Amino acid sequence: MKVFKFFRILILPALLIISACAHHQRVPAEIPNTLYSADGGGDEILNQFAPIFMVHGYSAAYNRIGRPAARYDSQGNEQIYIDSENPVFYYLKQHFTTDKGSYTNLIYRVHFSKIPFSLIPFNLTAGGNVGLMVVITLDSRAKPVLVTTVHTCGCYLAILPTSFLPGDALPLNWQDKPVRAYGEKLPWLLDYSSRDNPGLVVHLRPGVHRIMDLEIMAAAELQDLRRFSVIKTPLQPVRELEQIPLGKGSTSFYYQKGSLKGHVKGSVKFLESILLSLPSLDLFVGTDKVYGDRQETGNPFYTSLKPWNRNASDMGDFVRFLEFWGWRL
């Protein structure tokens, strides 16, 4: 217990401060900026609300959104990798109900080949087959009320309200000022009502794929070819990740059994396992994973490192998850 307390009080904060330095570096301006934009595959509402990802440092393959793929290596072993030349957005639609109303989550999942290893700045999250999700929560009128962003390891969570969310649904301590999220500053409100045909633009920090800004832009602005280079990206159901073509058959993106069940193949983050497994009581902390109901996946999508919050912070139970983080939908 004393070792755990020492690690939590002294060592862990120092590591997080060192790691955070990676997210204060200035990102060079790029003209045009590269955007990934949904190009069919889902239903009308999935296409309408699909986020637009702005990637910085597009020249590096690891900054590009890709497509999970499989092959055999020279020894005949299965290998999962991300094809950076063929991007895809995976989607999932879920419904939930609270005492105040009925809601629909539009869940968008993307993946990158890796977060590269670096000592200066120190990339704690270095590893392969990494990803992130953007969740748009719609109310019963099909108006977006919340935007949730999280890496597919359950890390770096941010929940932001939109201009359609009633004030009494905000956390009690919510303030009208930029939200500080793991070294980044995000807007405290996303105003969908201020633009014609609004689109959510997600700015991704190069290397670590951290969400460094979110903004609402009009469709007309995003069509300016002097400012943006647009990569049209198909939408595919997330169940496709369970049947990735391999040889004459297919394989899953996730381990199907054992201690790694429900985790993305080839995405163990060794630095996080070494440094954070003790305080989190999870040997595979930081490893990307399947998202869904824990009863089906066998793997909680927890969003708090504290072991005693594992169930309450599990995003797979979205109602309980919102309550845990103080939202009052």
Side-chain angles (χ1 to χ4, degrees), residues 150-167:
V150 65
H151 286 226
T152 51
C153 53
C155 315
Y156 308 114
L157 171 73
I159 308 172
L160 302 176
T162 79
S163 49
F164 294 115
L165 184 73

PDB file of all heavy atoms in Angstrom, residues 150-167:
ATOM      1  N   VAL A 150     -12.734  10.269 -27.102  1.00  0.00           N
ATOM      2  CA  VAL A 150     -11.934   9.383 -26.261  1.00  0.00           C
ATOM      3  C   VAL A 150     -11.078   8.504 -27.166  1.00  0.00           C
ATOM      4  O   VAL A 150     -11.491   8.136 -28.270  1.00  0.00           O
ATOM      5  CB  VAL A 150     -12.854   8.508 -25.368  1.00  0.00           C
ATOM      6  CG1 VAL A 150     -13.703   7.559 -26.200  1.00  0.00           C
ATOM      7  CG2 VAL A 150     -12.064   7.743 -24.318  1.00  0.00           C
ATOM      8  N   HIS A 151      -9.871   8.211 -26.728  1.00  0.00           N
ATOM      9  CA  HIS A 151      -9.044   7.256 -27.462  1.00  0.00           C
ATOM     10  C   HIS A 151      -9.585   5.852 -27.218  1.00  0.00           C
ATOM     11  O   HIS A 151     -10.242   5.593 -26.216  1.00  0.00           O
ATOM     12  CB  HIS A 151      -7.592   7.374 -27.024  1.00  0.00           C
ATOM     13  CG  HIS A 151      -6.913   8.612 -27.546  1.00  0.00           C
ATOM     14  ND1 HIS A 151      -5.663   8.603 -28.114  1.00  0.00           N
ATOM     15  CD2 HIS A 151      -7.339   9.902 -27.610  1.00  0.00           C
ATOM     16  CE1 HIS A 151      -5.331   9.821 -28.493  1.00  0.00           C
ATOM     17  NE2 HIS A 151      -6.334  10.631 -28.199  1.00  0.00           N
ATOM     18  N   THR A 152      -9.302   4.938 -28.127  1.00  0.00           N
ATOM     19  CA  THR A 152      -9.891   3.608 -28.020  1.00  0.00           C
ATOM     20  C   THR A 152      -9.245   2.748 -26.937  1.00  0.00           C
ATOM     21  O   THR A 152      -9.569   1.566 -26.801  1.00  0.00           O
ATOM     22  CB  THR A 152      -9.879   2.869 -29.377  1.00  0.00           C
ATOM     23  OG1 THR A 152      -8.565   2.906 -29.930  1.00  0.00           O
ATOM     24  CG2 THR A 152     -10.850   3.516 -30.344  1.00  0.00           C
ATOM     25  N   CYS A 153      -8.370   3.332 -26.144  1.00  0.00           N
ATOM     26  CA  CYS A 153      -7.880   2.686 -24.923  1.00  0.00           C
ATOM     27  C   CYS A 153      -8.722   3.105 -23.726  1.00  0.00           C
ATOM     28  O   CYS A 153      -8.512   2.620 -22.611  1.00  0.00           O
ATOM     29  CB  CYS A 153      -6.418   3.059 -24.682  1.00  0.00           C
ATOM     30  SG  CYS A 153      -6.111   4.835 -24.675  1.00  0.00           S
ATOM     31  N   GLY A 154      -9.685   4.027 -23.949  1.00  0.00           N
ATOM     32  CA  GLY A 154     -10.465   4.581 -22.857  1.00  0.00           C
ATOM     33  C   GLY A 154      -9.801   5.798 -22.229  1.00  0.00           C
ATOM     34  O   GLY A 154     -10.302   6.349 -21.247  1.00  0.00           O
ATOM     35  N   CYS A 155      -8.685   6.230 -22.825  1.00  0.00           N
ATOM     36  CA  CYS A 155      -7.896   7.338 -22.278  1.00  0.00           C
ATOM     37  C   CYS A 155      -8.314   8.682 -22.898  1.00  0.00           C
ATOM     38  O   CYS A 155      -8.938   8.729 -23.947  1.00  0.00           O
ATOM     39  CB  CYS A 155      -6.415   7.118 -22.569  1.00  0.00           C
ATOM     40  SG  CYS A 155      -5.817   5.447 -22.266  1.00  0.00           S
ATOM     41  N   TYR A 156      -7.911   9.762 -22.221  1.00  0.00           N
ATOM     42  CA  TYR A 156      -8.022  11.134 -22.748  1.00  0.00           C
ATOM     43  C   TYR A 156      -9.459  11.496 -23.119  1.00  0.00           C
ATOM     44  O   TYR A 156      -9.745  11.980 -24.203  1.00  0.00           O
ATOM     45  CB  TYR A 156      -7.066  11.317 -23.934  1.00  0.00           C
ATOM     46  CG  TYR A 156      -5.661  10.905 -23.579  1.00  0.00           C
ATOM     47  CD1 TYR A 156      -5.058   9.799 -24.179  1.00  0.00           C
ATOM     48  CD2 TYR A 156      -4.958  11.594 -22.602  1.00  0.00           C
ATOM     49  CE1 TYR A 156      -3.774   9.405 -23.813  1.00  0.00           C
ATOM     50  CE2 TYR A 156      -3.681  11.198 -22.230  1.00  0.00           C
ATOM     51  CZ  TYR A 156      -3.097  10.112 -22.842  1.00  0.00           C
ATOM     52  OH  TYR A 156      -1.843   9.725 -22.465  1.00  0.00           O
ATOM     53  N   LEU A 157     -10.329  11.265 -22.173  1.00  0.00           N
ATOM     54  CA  LEU A 157     -11.754  11.537 -22.356  1.00  0.00           C
ATOM     55  C   LEU A 157     -12.049  13.032 -22.274  1.00  0.00           C
ATOM     56  O   LEU A 157     -11.482  13.747 -21.451  1.00  0.00           O
ATOM     57  CB  LEU A 157     -12.547  10.809 -21.270  1.00  0.00           C
ATOM     58  CG  LEU A 157     -14.036  11.133 -21.159  1.00  0.00           C
ATOM     59  CD1 LEU A 157     -14.801  10.505 -22.314  1.00  0.00           C
ATOM     60  CD2 LEU A 157     -14.574  10.649 -19.815  1.00  0.00           C
ATOM     61  N   ALA A 158     -12.960  13.497 -23.139  1.00  0.00           N
ATOM     62  CA  ALA A 158     -13.517  14.850 -23.028  1.00  0.00           C
ATOM     63  C   ALA A 158     -14.991  14.777 -23.403  1.00  0.00           C
ATOM     64  O   ALA A 158     -15.357  14.115 -24.379  1.00  0.00           O
ATOM     65  CB  ALA A 158     -12.778  15.818 -23.949  1.00  0.00           C
ATOM     66  N   ILE A 159     -15.832  15.433 -22.620  1.00  0.00           N
ATOM     67  CA  ILE A 159     -17.271  15.505 -22.895  1.00  0.00           C
ATOM     68  C   ILE A 159     -17.642  16.982 -22.974  1.00  0.00           C
ATOM     69  O   ILE A 159     -17.430  17.728 -22.006  1.00  0.00           O
ATOM     70  CB  ILE A 159     -18.106  14.813 -21.795  1.00  0.00           C
ATOM     71  CG1 ILE A 159     -17.606  13.383 -21.547  1.00  0.00           C
ATOM     72  CG2 ILE A 159     -19.580  14.797 -22.178  1.00  0.00           C
ATOM     73  CD1 ILE A 159     -18.253  12.708 -20.345  1.00  0.00           C
ATOM     74  N   LEU A 160     -18.185  17.404 -24.119  1.00  0.00           N
ATOM     75  CA  LEU A 160     -18.489  18.815 -24.324  1.00  0.00           C
ATOM     76  C   LEU A 160     -19.952  18.996 -24.689  1.00  0.00           C
ATOM     77  O   LEU A 160     -20.508  18.221 -25.486  1.00  0.00           O
ATOM     78  CB  LEU A 160     -17.612  19.389 -25.437  1.00  0.00           C
ATOM     79  CG  LEU A 160     -16.097  19.289 -25.224  1.00  0.00           C
ATOM     80  CD1 LEU A 160     -15.366  19.797 -26.452  1.00  0.00           C
ATOM     81  CD2 LEU A 160     -15.665  20.049 -23.989  1.00  0.00           C
ATOM     82  N   PRO A 161     -20.594  20.015 -24.147  1.00  0.00           N
ATOM     83  CA  PRO A 161     -21.994  20.287 -24.479  1.00  0.00           C
ATOM     84  C   PRO A 161     -22.109  21.078 -25.775  1.00  0.00           C
ATOM     85  O   PRO A 161     -21.160  21.741 -26.200  1.00  0.00           O
ATOM     86  CB  PRO A 161     -22.459  21.131 -23.292  1.00  0.00           C
ATOM     87  CG  PRO A 161     -21.230  21.895 -22.909  1.00  0.00           C
ATOM     88  CD  PRO A 161     -20.072  20.948 -23.132  1.00  0.00           C
ATOM     89  N   THR A 162     -23.269  21.011 -26.377  1.00  0.00           N
ATOM     90  CA  THR A 162     -23.559  21.847 -27.537  1.00  0.00           C
ATOM     91  C   THR A 162     -24.601  22.895 -27.148  1.00  0.00           C
ATOM     92  O   THR A 162     -25.147  22.876 -26.036  1.00  0.00           O
ATOM     93  CB  THR A 162     -24.109  21.022 -28.711  1.00  0.00           C
ATOM     94  OG1 THR A 162     -25.495  20.735 -28.472  1.00  0.00           O
ATOM     95  CG2 THR A 162     -23.337  19.725 -28.902  1.00  0.00           C
ATOM     96  N   SER A 163     -24.885  23.771 -28.081  1.00  0.00           N
ATOM     97  CA  SER A 163     -25.860  24.832 -27.836  1.00  0.00           C
ATOM     98  C   SER A 163     -27.283  24.289 -27.691  1.00  0.00           C
ATOM     99  O   SER A 163     -28.183  25.022 -27.284  1.00  0.00           O
ATOM    100  CB  SER A 163     -25.806  25.852 -28.982  1.00  0.00           C
ATOM    101  OG  SER A 163     -25.855  25.204 -30.243  1.00  0.00           O
ATOM    102  N   PHE A 164     -27.511  23.018 -28.000  1.00  0.00           N
ATOM    103  CA  PHE A 164     -28.842  22.416 -27.860  1.00  0.00           C
ATOM    104  C   PHE A 164     -29.051  21.740 -26.512  1.00  0.00           C
ATOM    105  O   PHE A 164     -30.154  21.273 -26.223  1.00  0.00           O
ATOM    106  CB  PHE A 164     -29.084  21.397 -28.978  1.00  0.00           C
ATOM    107  CG  PHE A 164     -29.161  21.994 -30.356  1.00  0.00           C
ATOM    108  CD1 PHE A 164     -28.203  21.691 -31.314  1.00  0.00           C
ATOM    109  CD2 PHE A 164     -30.186  22.864 -30.700  1.00  0.00           C
ATOM    110  CE1 PHE A 164     -28.272  22.240 -32.593  1.00  0.00           C
ATOM    111  CE2 PHE A 164     -30.266  23.427 -31.965  1.00  0.00           C
ATOM    112  CZ  PHE A 164     -29.303  23.114 -32.920  1.00  0.00           C
ATOM    113  N   LEU A 165     -28.022  21.661 -25.695  1.00  0.00           N
ATOM    114  CA  LEU A 165     -28.164  20.986 -24.407  1.00  0.00           C
ATOM    115  C   LEU A 165     -28.792  21.935 -23.390  1.00  0.00           C
ATOM    116  O   LEU A 165     -28.297  23.044 -23.176  1.00  0.00           O
ATOM    117  CB  LEU A 165     -26.800  20.523 -23.891  1.00  0.00           C
ATOM    118  CG  LEU A 165     -26.839  19.722 -22.582  1.00  0.00           C
ATOM    119  CD1 LEU A 165     -27.390  18.326 -22.833  1.00  0.00           C
ATOM    120  CD2 LEU A 165     -25.463  19.647 -21.942  1.00  0.00           C
ATOM    121  N   PRO A 166     -29.881  21.533 -22.725  1.00  0.00           N
ATOM    122  CA  PRO A 166     -30.471  22.379 -21.683  1.00  0.00           C
ATOM    123  C   PRO A 166     -29.476  22.630 -20.552  1.00  0.00           C
ATOM    124  O   PRO A 166     -28.666  21.762 -20.212  1.00  0.00           O
ATOM    125  CB  PRO A 166     -31.662  21.551 -21.186  1.00  0.00           C
ATOM    126  CG  PRO A 166     -31.963  20.598 -22.298  1.00  0.00           C
ATOM    127  CD  PRO A 166     -30.642  20.286 -22.944  1.00  0.00           C
ATOM    128  N   GLY A 167     -29.538  23.812 -19.983  1.00  0.00           N
ATOM    129  CA  GLY A 167     -28.604  24.171 -18.928  1.00  0.00           C
ATOM    130  C   GLY A 167     -28.655  23.273 -17.718  1.00  0.00           C
ATOM    131  O   GLY A 167     -27.641  23.059 -17.043  1.00  0.00           O
TER     132      GLY A 167
END
